[in-house]
Amino acid sequence: MESKRKANGAASPDYDDRAAKRRKVVESYDLSKGETQESTTAYGLSLLDQIRRTSDKSGRRVAGYFETLPPRQGNEEYYARTRMPISFETIEEKLQNGDFQNLSELESYLKRMITNAKEWFHKSSSEFDDAERVRKAVSNYMTKNNPAYQNRNYQAVATPLPEDGAMSTTPLKSELAVAKTEGAADDVEDDADDGEENGTETPRKLPPAKPDHQYEDVPYKGLNFQQAQEKIVEEGLRHSTEDYDGPYFEPFINLPPRSLKDYYSMIKEPMCLKKLQKLVRGVQGRNDVTGVTELKSWAQFEEKAKLLWTNAYYYNEDGSDIFVLAQELETFLKKEIKEAKAHASEPSQPKIKLKVGNQQSEPPSNRKITLNVGNSRGVSTDSPVPNATASPAPVPEVNGTGQVQPSLAVPEKTRSVSVAAPSPSPSVAPTSKGEETRVSPSVRPPSATPAYATPGPPRPGPHPPVPAQPQFQPLPAPPMEQKRLRLPGKGQADALISQMRLLFHRSSGGEPTATTVMPDRKEMQQSATVNLPADSNRMTMTITLPELLQERHYSLWAMFDRHNLKCSTPYDPQQAYGDRVFEAMLHQGLNVIEVHLIAAIPKHERLPGGPDTELEIFTVYANVMRN
């Protein structure tokens, strides 16, 4: 336990000196020329030093639990369930003995140690959080230093567990010493009491825990909406097969390391099973579990779960291991969701009623209004409306035939009041507010003459005031997308896509339409438009990749109307260039066909402060004519 206390405390100057010396030793090895036992030992010890210096936000060291194994006495259940116990002490001794041939073996061994901790401790425990921090530290270190990551299809997995009944490793000298000391004790409780009296620390005993097994062998029938969501995610985390030991969907449990900058630049909403589990359990940041899901309907849950495989389809090349595993995950979770929806109904959502305007009906009014026509003035004796200064009323218009139009314009002050009494004149049609009133060139001056008097010679009439029109400021035009230009000195021969050949087949058996798109000499994006006969129903697209991609990491994806297309040619990880064939069914109207390829820029070609990846885009708009 002394090593644990030292790890949690501040690092001593001697420890820092050893770490600095190990870093110098690491710099003397060039892993691009090959890995050896000596280089693996140097890099491994340097990694352990780095993990031991890792702290959480409060400054607490996170490696304390992993320094040594717990004593066997008092932790029988732990050793019965953990078939390959591992600690930093175990790893350090194996490194000193030269037991690791390369960094991939070391990484797998570390992943097994982390998996042991996560399978034993509960997710809300500090030990589980420390295991996740150690995992991130290992991942960041390995992605930068492990040469195996130069193969874009490499995926680190935990060291396989030994067969049942077999010992995982030979006991360490420290473990034998602890066992001998424990064997001399007659009673564990007496030892604990003696330890308390003497002021010494008692051996730590691990609490029993079994994460992600709360709903194991529990049917969906009888579960509520919250429990059903938790069980679906748990099934995905816990799923395993006979030929694969450990979580089968392990690559989808946690998010990719942040060192994959191109992934986070391409994927707008990353998703993993752990993140989905936090949404279901109502975990906000590092706060406690609320137990109330943030996904209030099955549609919301399915939308988030769908990101697990759609992100993988979008980022990984068709036919790759992760792509195929994502297809299996999609089938697995859709089956679980279907079964859960059949037994657990989603909770009813509160209904929101919107009140638009004033919905209260006004009681009918018996008020009467007298309309002033011309110079005649009068107020109805039974009208409660106060007498207001009457403005000149517009005189009825005269049409081209010399007849009076049967409509009168209502003064502005009068139009705001409902007219309930019958009028002695024809129906009054009020002009809408803000509408400019048109005056006929032939009108009669205002007088007491009835409205249907014979028109006289044309005289100018009064114009009602025209309301001021509101001033509108034009919206600024959206910024234009910047052109994707090639790096200085690059041309068409350096394009990431050599050419794009399209063949549009016809249902009538007629000759298909062929189109070829070539890369631009200066820009890294190219587009074309093609009009097709109405009987065009199928498309075959061939993408030719240049040989220069053989030495570069890249990702290729093709889309039809924003949906990913699956490559028809067999996937060969050794063949990074050549033709890739895709097929899709056309529909009448506009069909949008896109091909994106992102590739890492070689280090010797990168500009200071410039990007480390480049993207080539081809877009074709295929318009199938309508009958």
Side-chain angles (χ1 to χ4, degrees):
M1 301 303 299
E2 186 68 21
S3 59
K4 177 179 178 180
R5 289 193 294 271
K6 286 184 178 180
N8 288 334
S12 62
D14 295 339
Y15 180 84
D16 294 336
D17 292 340
R18 290 197 302 269
K21 292 178 180 178
R22 284 172 179 169
R23 285 195 296 269
K24 292 181 180 180
V25 174
V26 166
E27 294 174 356
S28 63
Y29 291 100
D30 186 2
L31 297 185
S32 63
K33 298 180 180 179
E35 295 183 83
T36 62
Q37 293 179 351
E38 292 77 11
S39 64
T40 303
T41 298
Y43 274 87
L45 294 175
S46 177
L47 172 59
L48 292 181
D49 291 339
Q50 182 173 318
I51 297 175
R52 283 165 171 157
R53 294 195 305 271
T54 303
S55 305
D56 60 9
K57 294 182 178 179
S58 63
R60 181 183 61 86
R61 301 296 175 98
V62 302
Y65 163 75
F66 299 95
E67 283 293 345
T68 59
L69 290 173
R72 291 185 178 273
Q73 190 168 4
N75 295 286
E76 290 80 5
E77 184 182 356
Y78 173 80
Y79 284 97
R81 284 176 44 194
T82 307
R83 294 160 57 187
M84 186 181 287
I86 301 174
S87 67
F88 283 167
E89 186 180 21
T90 312
I91 297 174
E92 190 168 10
E93 186 168 325
K94 290 177 70 69
L95 284 169
Q96 297 290 0
N97 295 335
D99 293 340
F100 297 109
Q101 301 297 323
N102 49 54
L103 289 178
S104 296
E105 292 184 8
L106 174 61
E107 183 177 9
S108 298
Y109 209 68
L110 285 164
K111 287 181 73 70
R112 174 56 59 192
M113 179 191 71
I114 296 167
T115 303
N116 289 344
K118 288 188 172 183
E119 288 181 349
W120 178 258
F121 289 102
H122 194 270
K123 291 183 178 62
S124 59
S125 64
S126 60
E127 290 85 355
F128 189 95
D129 293 339
D130 289 346
E132 177 60 18
R133 295 185 181 98
V134 172
R135 183 199 66 81
K136 291 180 179 180
V138 172
S139 178
N140 292 335
Y141 186 88
M142 287 297 179
T143 52
K144 295 178 181 178
N145 297 288
N146 190 355
Y149 281 95
Q150 294 180 4
N151 179 4
R152 61 188 303 272
N153 295 315
Y154 171 75
Q155 181 70 37
V157 295
T159 301
L161 293 173
E163 298 180 359
D164 292 337
M167 288 294 293
S168 59
T169 56
T170 57
L172 299 176
K173 295 178 181 179
S174 57
E175 295 180 24
L176 294 175
V178 172
K180 183 177 180 181
T181 303
E182 293 172 350
D186 295 328
D187 195 317
V188 177
E189 294 182 359
D190 293 342
D191 289 346
D193 294 339
D194 295 341
E196 292 178 0
E197 294 175 0
N198 298 332
T200 59
E201 186 175 354
T202 59
R204 56 184 172 129
K205 185 174 182 177
L206 300 178
K210 200 172 184 181
D212 299 327
H213 286 72
Q214 181 179 356
Y215 299 98
E216 186 176 12
D217 300 329
V218 177
Y220 284 102
K221 187 176 181 179
L223 298 181
N224 58 28
F225 180 70
Q226 174 71 36
Q227 294 169 336
Q229 284 192 358
E230 293 181 4
K231 177 175 170 60
I232 293 173
V233 182
E234 185 181 289
E235 292 293 336
L237 290 167
R238 195 181 59 248
H239 180 66
S240 60
T241 59
E242 295 181 357
D243 55 347
Y244 187 87
D245 205 348
Y248 188 74
F249 299 117
E250 186 174 8
F252 295 91
I253 292 180
N254 296 291
L255 292 175
R258 283 289 173 180
S259 57
L260 296 177
K261 296 181 180 179
D262 63 326
Y263 179 87
Y264 289 96
S265 64
M266 293 164 54
I267 304 301
K268 302 305 179 184
E269 187 177 355
M271 181 59 62
C272 65
L273 288 170
K274 288 292 186 182
K275 185 176 180 180
L276 182 61
Q277 189 178 54
K278 286 186 176 181
L279 292 175
V280 169
R281 292 185 171 182
V283 179
Q284 294 285 352
R286 294 190 173 275
N287 297 330
D288 295 334
V289 177
T290 63
V292 179
T293 177
E294 297 182 20
L295 310 176
K296 304 303 182 182
S297 65
W298 282 119
Q300 294 181 10
F301 180 83
E302 291 178 85
E303 182 182 359
K304 293 297 182 182
K306 185 180 179 181
L307 294 172
L308 291 167
W309 51 83
T310 55
N311 288 346
Y313 297 156
Y314 190 77
Y315 179 75
N316 297 278
E317 189 173 354
D318 293 357
S320 62
D321 293 340
I322 298 297
F323 190 97
V324 174
L325 188 62
Q327 291 177 321
E328 298 181 26
L329 177 63
E330 178 182 3
T331 303
F332 178 84
L333 287 185
K334 282 185 175 180
K335 180 181 177 181
E336 296 290 329
I337 293 173
K338 182 179 180 181
E339 185 179 356
K341 291 172 67 176
H343 296 92
S345 58
E346 60 187 35
S348 58
Q349 302 296 326
K351 297 181 180 180
I352 301 176
K353 295 183 180 180
L354 299 178
K355 293 184 178 181
V356 182
N358 186 10
Q359 296 183 348
Q360 298 179 354
S361 59
E362 297 182 358
S365 175
N366 294 326
R367 294 178 298 177
K368 295 182 180 180
I369 298 174
T370 301
L371 301 179
N372 297 326
V373 180
N375 287 334
S376 63
R377 300 186 181 184
V379 178
S380 175
T381 57
D382 58 349
S383 174
V385 181
N387 187 13
T389 304
S391 59
V395 182
E397 297 183 8
V398 181
N399 59 18
T401 60
Q403 298 179 351
V404 180
Q405 297 282 5
S407 64
L408 292 174
V410 181
E412 180 70 26
K413 292 185 179 180
T414 308
R415 275 191 274 116
S416 62
V417 183
S418 301
V419 180
S423 174
S425 60
S427 60
V428 179
T431 58
S432 61
K433 191 172 183 179
E435 179 182 353
E436 184 178 354
T437 304
R438 181 170 58 89
V439 180
S440 173
S442 299
V443 295
R444 186 176 183 82
S447 64
T449 307
Y452 286 160
T454 305
R459 294 184 182 182
H463 289 265
V466 180
Q469 299 295 328
Q471 299 295 326
F472 296 97
Q473 295 294 333
L475 296 175
M480 297 183 62
E481 183 180 0
Q482 295 183 354
K483 295 183 178 180
R484 302 178 183 274
L485 300 178
R486 302 194 185 279
L487 295 176
K490 299 283 186 177
Q492 190 177 34
D494 302 295
L496 302 179
I497 301 175
S498 297
Q499 66 176 1
M500 175 184 184
R501 300 193 304 274
L502 296 166
L503 201 61
F504 301 98
H505 305 275
R506 304 175 63 179
S507 59
S508 62
E511 184 176 354
T513 304
T515 301
T516 301
V517 182
M518 302 298 294
D520 188 79
R521 185 170 57 89
K522 294 183 179 180
E523 299 182 15
M524 298 194 68
Q525 55 191 42
Q526 186 67 290
S527 61
T529 303
V530 57
N531 292 319
L532 302 173
D535 60 346
S536 301
N537 65 338
R538 186 168 58 89
M539 172 209 73
T540 302
M541 176 175 61
T542 303
I543 305 299
T544 303
L545 305 182
E547 190 173 354
L548 59 88
L549 293 177
Q550 185 72 19
E551 304 298 331
R552 299 172 66 175
H553 300 301
Y554 74 91
S555 291
L556 168 71
W557 63 97
M559 291 178 290
F560 181 84
D561 287 345
R562 305 302 297 175
H563 294 285
N564 288 330
L565 295 177
K566 185 175 181 180
C567 185
S568 303
T569 53
Y571 174 72
D572 183 4
Q574 303 300 328
Q575 186 70 15
Y577 60 94
D579 291 340
R580 302 287 188 272
V581 180
F582 303 86
E583 294 181 336
M585 301 301 294
L586 301 172
H587 58 80
Q588 287 190 334
L590 185 63
N591 301 261
V592 182
I593 307 160
E594 299 175 81
V595 176
H596 296 213
L597 193 148
I598 186 170
I601 302 176
K603 292 184 178 180
H604 64 277
E605 296 181 5
R606 297 178 187 175
L607 300 176
D612 52 5
T613 60
E614 54 184 349
L615 176 65
E616 189 101 26
I617 300 177
F618 278 28
T619 306
V620 173
Y621 302 95
N623 182 30
V624 179
M625 309 298 292
R626 301 183 183 273
N627 293 325

